[in-house]
Amino acid sequence: MFKNVFGSGFLVRTAHVILTWVITLILFLHDPDLRKQEENGKLVQPVLFVLLVLVSVLLYFAVSLMDPGFILSDDNGLQFTLGTTEEQQDMIPPPTSKSLRQRRCGHCLLQQPMRSKHCQTCQHCVRRYDHHCPWIENCVGERNHRWFVLYLAVQLLVLLWGLHMAWTGFSAAATWPAWLRSNGMLLAVAALVALLSLTVLLLLGSHLYLVSLNTTTWEFMSRHRISYLRHCGADENPFDRGAARNLWGFFCAAGGAAVVWEQVYFREGSDPV
């Protein structure tokens, strides 16, 4: 399930952890409200903030070390699971030779199920490939995509709280040079946290939007180059089942077995291409 913690992304993960806790320490040292609460024995907010930071770090490691859905062998006996009822699954036609026809990857020579892609960095094909994220040094795919979105949400909460702490932590001074001397480090941290907050906000918003459409970053950006989408209309998505069902299937469907997207693609009412 998890990759080697001492793999190629060890330095990136170490840098992430160090940066996270250094920023947390600086914010604590400059935030008068949290220090006053701590001195008065009111530990709810300080402990909650530290726990939230810890959860974000644990989620980061879970997403970065988790198998995103690597295809390691040819497997034609996958079970179809979408977290739907039996009646809904009955609407999917049985597999046919046409609908389940798969092409072989030119790099790893394994059969590629629909919506999978070979990642040049990871050197594996990934089911329901979304993108390769350099900050986690891992692909985002079928198995870890929901955890990636959850990580972004928790990280955004941490960053916004940290931004508030930085804003309330600035101390007054008589002159501008004196203000910079006493608040320079906090100002640099606040600027970094603000930049990270904007980045994570845009990432979270874009992923939630794509999830609501049941499409991936790769499919959205490279639609014209993907064989099973090339002949669809500009606004046509053969995997879209409505925003509510898409979100439910993404966040609430039972994990484990891989989805046979060929059966969804060739369901009744779809036009095979």
Side-chain angles (χ1 to χ4, degrees):
M1 181 180 179
F2 292 98
K3 301 192 300 180
N4 187 354
V5 68
F6 297 108
S8 60
F10 177 73
L11 292 178
V12 175
R13 298 181 186 108
T14 301
H16 176 88
V17 174
I18 292 175
L19 183 63
T20 298
W21 290 112
V22 167
I23 290 177
T24 302
L25 179 61
I26 293 174
L27 291 174
F28 259 103
L29 292 177
H30 286 81
D31 189 293
D33 292 335
L34 283 183
R35 280 190 300 176
K36 287 178 181 177
Q37 290 184 33
E38 189 177 356
E39 291 169 359
N40 295 331
K42 299 178 180 178
L43 302 178
V44 176
Q45 288 193 27
V47 170
L48 184 60
F49 179 73
V50 172
L51 286 177
L52 201 59
V53 173
L54 181 60
V55 169
S56 74
V57 172
L58 292 177
L59 281 172
Y60 170 81
F61 273 101
V63 172
S64 64
L65 298 176
M66 187 180 292
D67 177 356
F70 291 137
I71 301 171
L72 303 178
S73 63
D74 289 335
D75 186 1
N76 296 320
L78 297 173
Q79 298 297 317
F80 175 71
T81 58
L82 272 177
T84 59
T85 63
E86 233 176 75
E87 181 182 351
Q88 291 169 331
Q89 292 193 19
D90 287 341
M91 297 173 64
I92 309 298
T96 65
S97 58
K98 180 179 181 180
S99 65
L100 291 180
R101 188 166 53 213
Q102 299 174 347
R103 72 182 185 91
R104 286 199 175 271
C105 174
H107 300 277
C108 56
L109 303 180
L110 295 175
Q111 287 186 337
Q112 282 187 327
M114 189 173 285
R115 307 192 83 180
S116 63
K117 182 182 181 298
H118 186 87
C119 176
Q120 296 285 2
T121 305
C122 294
Q123 291 299 309
H124 287 294
C125 288
V126 181
R127 297 185 187 279
R128 198 183 176 276
Y129 175 86
D130 188 87
H131 72 288
H132 182 90
C133 180
W135 186 241
I136 67 172
E137 269 299 315
N138 195 11
C139 281
V140 177
E142 188 168 70
R143 290 189 179 179
N144 67 345
H145 196 175
R146 75 179 75 179
W147 294 105
F148 180 75
V149 173
L150 179 60
Y151 160 70
L152 290 178
V154 173
Q155 188 66 69
L156 182 60
L157 287 176
V158 172
L159 289 169
L160 292 178
W161 195 343
L163 194 60
H164 171 74
M165 290 171 62
W167 180 260
T168 58
F170 290 117
S171 58
T175 63
W176 175 249
W179 188 89
L180 277 181
R181 281 194 300 271
S182 60
N183 298 287
M185 182 176 292
L186 184 60
L187 181 63
V189 168
L192 177 60
V193 171
L195 179 61
L196 292 174
S197 299
L198 179 61
T199 303
V200 174
L201 177 62
L202 291 176
L203 277 173
L204 179 61
S206 63
H207 276 276
L208 288 176
Y209 171 71
L210 293 177
V211 167
S212 71
L213 299 176
N214 201 351
T215 191
T216 64
T217 302
W218 173 56
E219 291 171 342
F220 184 79
M221 300 296 293
S222 306
R223 183 184 181 91
H224 61 287
R225 296 194 291 113
I226 300 175
S227 59
Y228 57 85
L229 294 178
R230 190 183 304 154
H231 303 293
C232 296
D235 299 324
E236 184 183 353
N237 177 13
F239 307 109
D240 186 11
R241 299 177 295 151
R245 292 181 66 191
N246 291 336
L247 290 168
W248 175 266
F250 181 83
F251 288 108
C252 304
V259 175
V260 182
W261 292 107
E262 289 86 346
Q263 293 184 351
V264 182
Y265 185 83
F266 287 96
R267 68 185 184 271
E268 292 181 22
S270 295
D271 297 323
V273 294

